[in-house]
Amino acid sequence: MTIETRAPGVLDSLASSGRRRRLPRINPFAWLIFILGVLYFFLPLVGTFIHSTRTRPDIFLAYRQVFADSKFFVGLGYSFAVGVITIVVSLLIIVPTAYWVRLKVPRLRPVVEFVTLMPFVIPPVVLVFGLIRVYSSKPLVLTATNIGSDFVLVCAYVILSFPYMYRAVDTGLAAIDVRTLTEAAQSLGAGWARILWRVIFPNLRTALLSGAFLTMAIVIGEYTIANFLARTQAFGPYLSLLGRSQPYTPAAVSLISFGLTWLAMGAIAFLGRGARTRVQVAGAR
Amino acid sequence: MSFLELTGVQKHFGPTVAVEDFNLAAERGEFVSFLGPSGCGKTTTLRMIAGFEVPTAGAIVLDGTDITHRPPNRRNVGMVFQSYALFPNMTVGDNVGFGLKVRKRPGDQIRKRVGELLELVHLGDKMARYPYQLSGGQQQRVALARALAFEPQVLLLDEPLSALDAKIRVSLRHEIRAIQRQLGITTVYVTHDQEEALSLSDRVVVMSEGRIEQIGSPFDVYNFPATGFVASFVGTLNVLPAVVVDPGGGGLSVAGQAFRINRPISARTGSTISLALRPEMVSLGEAGGENVLRGTVADVSFLGSIVRIRIQVAEGVVVTVDEFNEPTLVLPQLEASASISFPTEGPLVLESVPVIEPDDLIAEA
Ligand SMILES: Nc1ncnc2c1ncn2[C@@H]1O[C@H](COP(=O)(O)OP(=O)(O)OP(=O)(O)O)[C@@H](O)[C@H]1O
Ligand SMILES: [Mg+2]
């Protein structure tokens, strides 16, 4: 097949040029693993792309259709907005919690870590049924209105983001001397809000970005919860609906959304970087 | 009334007693060091002054105000940490200005003050750098400037030099002292390095196992140690077990060799007491005083400006002698026989070392 004959060729040239320039001797086994990894990640993308161009004679027909479909932009925009809100809420919960646990009650770290792992233990279907049962009956009826359902959706996603966000933040906190920096700020007269906002948050930049990135990826691709909450305009349900009715467009949509998500996150990373380039270097030390 | 007063301060961590009954009165502008071995409670005491720990009992009064239970950000106390603890996300200028910004001073005033302080620590040109672009010594100077910028009432330093290498350690400690004198700021300095404590301080607090052993000027602590612990911890010390021969006349003997001290001894004839003898009090040869002991050379070590020689006087009794290194000095050979001499005012009788009475020896036998 085309895929197999072309992809290794590209990689070989990549590998050999790299070798020539600055990796004089490297374990061939390491290269094998690297190449397998690259294949594992890129073959599905290449396959999807090839599939999306099977529309003959106009091979870009699927892409043209996608861009002509307003539901695509609505879906992506909705999911992106939900993703951003989820990230903000998740950060506001996780950063102070992880900080406080590290600073004051390190004994409780395993407990908190376990709690944040719950989304891996409870399947999304169970989670969403639980939420619907609780919030569609009195005293708190939320699922009856659109805004209420959006609210429940964000809450569910915040829970889904916990394992990724907590680990990212906790790793970031481990890389700085949280306790001494806190005490230094305190002795200079700073209160808790200022310490969190001026000292802790800025030094977690890299960690926060990776947590945010993972959360966004989850939200954009999530299907089950959005579907059960009747948020059919969300990107996941939209994609699934499309897949049932059309053969080639879903592949095109996946690739476009993939590209757009990366672009958006890259933009966030880049914008965040502009203000404080040097923090990154300090953090990486 | 003193400027900074700690009265009956105690700190327990569960069953651990970190500090017990700490009493100190420091005058305005005084430089006080806490000196003691690891785990003796120096840091804990400092942290109570800073407000990071709350005393289990006792009171801390600063300039007439009881600050025992005041949170650290509402005390006016500057702190310098062993690990510098500069904010990595801020420039040197922003680090130094942090305390002023917290206090909502106007921007131009902050800039002026930051400039002054960076000049003071000789880093005027490093304002826009980030901490990771500075050496350890420079980072610690920034930390010092940061702790001083908001004009704290007290400056606290917890082993600020121990992460630096020897050369910088010495030059920076002189710099700290010079700045402290210039600003006249009351300072508490924690260290386990006796040389640092002795060379910097107006007064030294020698601590052991959570207790104060002695508070005094470096001169007093070194020359008139109040307890055996102080004598052995501050400076190198020879401890001689000696048998009392003539209590009234100060007559003693070690392994059958008689010598004398210039004071009466408050112990019975035939009992064994411990004597402390500083290496610099002892001379090689017989010209250093009227007491002479004979033995063999056990060790010779060359330490640069001085040569440290160890003479075995009896089984298990080794006396260390420091000689200045001069070109004319003839180093003794190992195993050679040698004699040492010291004046009658040289040896100190150690109080807290248990004195063995002859009756006890009989009872044991
Ligand atoms: N947070 C704490 N919890 C329990 N015990 C503590 C705590 N902080 C200090 N200790 C104990 O209190 C005692 C004094 O500790 P401290 O840190 O004051 O010693 P130090 O004199 O500063 O020693 P070092 O020279 O090693 O820094 C030690 O036995 C220590 O184990
Ligand atoms: Mg300490």
Side-chain angles (χ1 to χ4, degrees), chain A residues 259-275:
Chain A
L260 285 180
T261 313
W262 276 80
L263 218 79
M265 293 312 294
I268 293 176
F270 183 78
L271 288 179
R273 194 194 202 99

Side-chain angles (χ1 to χ4, degrees), chain A residues 179, chain B residues 13-14 16-19 36-45 47 53 82 158-159 190-192 207:
Chain A
R179 189 175 163 155
Chain B
F13 292 105
T16 317
V17 182
V19 178
S38 187
C40 70
K42 309 180 293 286
T43 298
T44 306
T45 310
R47 289 171 59 80
E53 307 281 0
Q82 181 177 349
D158 190 358
E159 310 210 13
V190 163
T191 179
H192 60 251
M207 298 175 65

Side-chain angles (χ1 to χ4, degrees), chain A residues 179 183 186 188-189 198 203, chain B residues 47 73 77 89 102-103:
Chain A
R179 189 175 163 155
E183 287 179 353
Q186 277 182 309
L188 293 167
R198 292 280 172 210
N203 286 308
Chain B
R47 289 171 59 80
N73 58 336
V77 168
N89 56 309
V102 171
R103 285 166 178 76

Side-chain angles (χ1 to χ4, degrees), chain A residues 176-177 179-181 183-192 194 198-199 202-203 276 278-279 281-282 285, chain B residues 47 52-53 72-73 77 79 81 83 85-90 98-99 101-104 130 132 146-147 150:
Chain A
I176 56 175
D177 188 349
R179 189 175 163 155
T180 317
L181 286 183
E183 287 179 353
Q186 277 182 309
S187 75
L188 293 167
W192 291 115
R194 185 185 293 264
R198 292 280 172 210
V199 179
N203 286 308
R276 297 203 176 104
R278 273 158 273 202
V279 179
V281 187
R285 187 171 44 144
Chain B
R47 289 171 59 80
F52 300 132
E53 307 281 0
N73 58 336
V77 168
M79 177 110 181
F81 299 83
S83 57
L86 295 178
F87 306 126
N89 56 309
M90 296 179 202
F98 189 86
K101 213 161 168 194
V102 171
R103 285 166 178 76
K104 304 215 162 41
Y130 280 83
Y132 73 93
R146 180 179 70 176
F150 61 96

Side-chain angles (χ1 to χ4, degrees), chain B residues 277-314:
Chain B
L277 194 55
R278 296 262 180 230
E280 61 270 27
M281 280 288 182
V282 188
S283 312
L284 210 54
E286 305 197 350
E290 55 189 87
N291 290 318
V292 177
L293 297 176
R294 276 172 247 283
T296 53
V297 179
D299 182 41
V300 178
S301 45
F302 190 74
L303 302 176
S305 62
I306 60 167
V307 180
R308 181 157 288 178
I309 302 152
R310 289 157 58 77
I311 309 281
Q312 182 166 2
V313 175

Side-chain angles (χ1 to χ4, degrees), chain A residues 146-199:
Chain A
N146 266 332
I147 189 84
S149 295
D150 291 341
F151 179 77
V152 176
L153 185 70
V154 167
C155 291
Y157 285 167
V158 166
I159 294 170
L160 286 193
S161 77
F162 278 171
Y164 307 96
M165 213 49 126
Y166 180 77
R167 255 149 216 79
V169 169
D170 199 51
T171 313
L173 286 172
I176 56 175
D177 188 349
V178 176
R179 189 175 163 155
T180 317
L181 286 183
T182 301
E183 287 179 353
Q186 277 182 309
S187 75
L188 293 167
W192 291 115
R194 185 185 293 264
I195 294 174
L196 265 173
W197 189 242
R198 292 280 172 210
V199 179

